[in-house]
Amino acid sequence: MKLAKRLNRLPPYLFVEINQKIAELRARGEDIISFAIGDPDLPTPSHIIEYMCQAAHDPANHRYPETAGLPELRQAIAEWYEERFGVTLDPSKEVLPLIGSKEGIGHIALCFIEPGDLALVPDPGYPPYSLGTILAGGEPYFMPLQEENDFLPDFKAIPDKVASKAKLMWLNYPNNPTGAIASLDLFEQAIHFARKHNLAICHDAAYTEVTFDGYTAPSFLQIAGAKEIGVEFHSLSKTYHMTGWRIGMMVGNADMIRTLFQVKSNLDSGIPQAIQHAAVEALRGSQEHIAERNAIFQRRRDKLVNALNEIGLKARIPKATFYIWAKIPQGYTSIDYAKKLLDEVKIVVTPGIGYGKEGDGYIRFSLTISDDHLEQGMGRLLAWHRRRR
Ligand SMILES: *Cc1c(COP(=O)(O)O)cnc(C)c1O
């Protein structure tokens, strides 16, 4: 076999050792509590499931779907954007359903990136931004997201030479893994920068509906002119607890949508139609569960941040997302610290290095864990801390 060289350019998988350790401990019967899973623990709301079941019985939904998605779904997405953000979209040209937003996030690199091209990627950041770039033959240029800058990129720090070789810029607010939020001002700065250097913006908005303390997250497309220069990726995964059903969307710039459609129509055959119908129901039906869910995550957030601060793992209180990004003591790498917590406390956290070099001073806790496990995990952390004093 002669495998493609591009595979050699993928970074090594860092968690091999930790994952082995977790498997060993579990095999020995140890009760390990994981704070590492970024997937809502609450089920998909039942009215959505009911609708999907009905749609599954209809033979019209047993056939190949269209890559472009059902017109009814594109319409529902456009209506949701209008209602939620006041953003008007043409459902025939400015909306493209995706097989989960990760699918489009990975594939859009094929529309822009050629060997030698750069994409500006946040560090720490969701790995598909850089991995999609690398698989397309390009190079990620990392924009550090630092705590002293509220985990926002500093566009002034990007050298002109880099900006002129860049074709895409990735942004993600509310942010995974830092929990940071961005104001419309940040989006405006990004658009200004992208215009100046003739690059396209991809904003990943997966967490706009997971918010706390009355905060409402904006859409990048709320800025006048955003549609001329970029797109927004969104997803039903986090909003409606639908990660397993695989459905998301890209909205905004019509040329970018047309181009991603061109790539996708040659690679996939769309989203199973029963799931598209379920998505229509999710977007148009009751939105009540969102506030209830956010209240649950907010309560878990407050408990966990308190406990972490008590034991000296400094964490900000995030206004959005279900992640806590905690600073680890000096002298440890994030992998070492995660191993230590696994060995000594029997809890799993995500080492920050998994999201980039800048993440190495941090570990990520996810709030998508049952209240029972959360209490147990916090109890273990507090007891561990008392033993060490
Ligand atoms: C969970 C998540 C997504 C959503 O992915 P889907 O493929 O739509 O399930 C997108 N971006 C980020 C940063 C995420 O954490």
Side-chain angles (χ1 to χ4, degrees), residues 100-102 126 129 172 176 204 206-207 235 237-238 246 323:
S101 62
K102 185 178 184 181
Y126 183 54
Y129 312 144
N172 164 220
N176 174 12
D204 179 357
Y207 292 96
S235 172
S237 286
K238 311 298 158 58
R246 310 310 303 133
Y323 303 113

Side-chain angles (χ1 to χ4, degrees), residues 347-368:
I347 66 166
V348 185
V349 298
T350 314
I353 187 80
Y355 303 94
K357 195 163 62 63
E358 295 287 335
D360 206 21
Y362 296 83
I363 48 177
R364 194 192 75 174
F365 289 79
S366 177
L367 300 169
T368 55

Side-chain angles (χ1 to χ4, degrees), residues 242-293:
M242 286 176 70
T243 51
W245 303 115
R246 310 310 303 133
I247 187 158
M249 61 275 208
M250 175 168 115
V251 299
N253 185 271
D255 291 330
M256 291 172 75
I257 301 247
R258 192 169 35 75
T259 322
L260 183 61
F261 171 75
Q262 195 183 356
V263 168
K264 276 172 58 62
S265 60
N266 286 292
L267 292 177
D268 71 60
S269 300
I271 305 152
Q273 266 181 203
I275 294 173
Q276 295 190 49
H277 284 291
V280 171
E281 171 63 16
L283 293 163
R284 288 189 174 153
S286 162
Q287 308 290 306
E288 257 170 45
H289 79 281
I290 294 178
E292 291 163 16
R293 180 271 318 281

Side-chain angles (χ1 to χ4, degrees), residues 175-204:
N175 183 260
N176 174 12
T178 67
I181 55 173
S183 64
L184 287 172
D185 180 55
L186 187 276
F187 294 145
E188 240 164 64
Q189 286 175 38
I191 289 170
H192 181 77
F193 180 88
R195 277 226 179 88
K196 184 165 153 206
H197 298 286
N198 189 27
L199 43 94
I201 295 178
C202 292
H203 180 240
D204 179 357

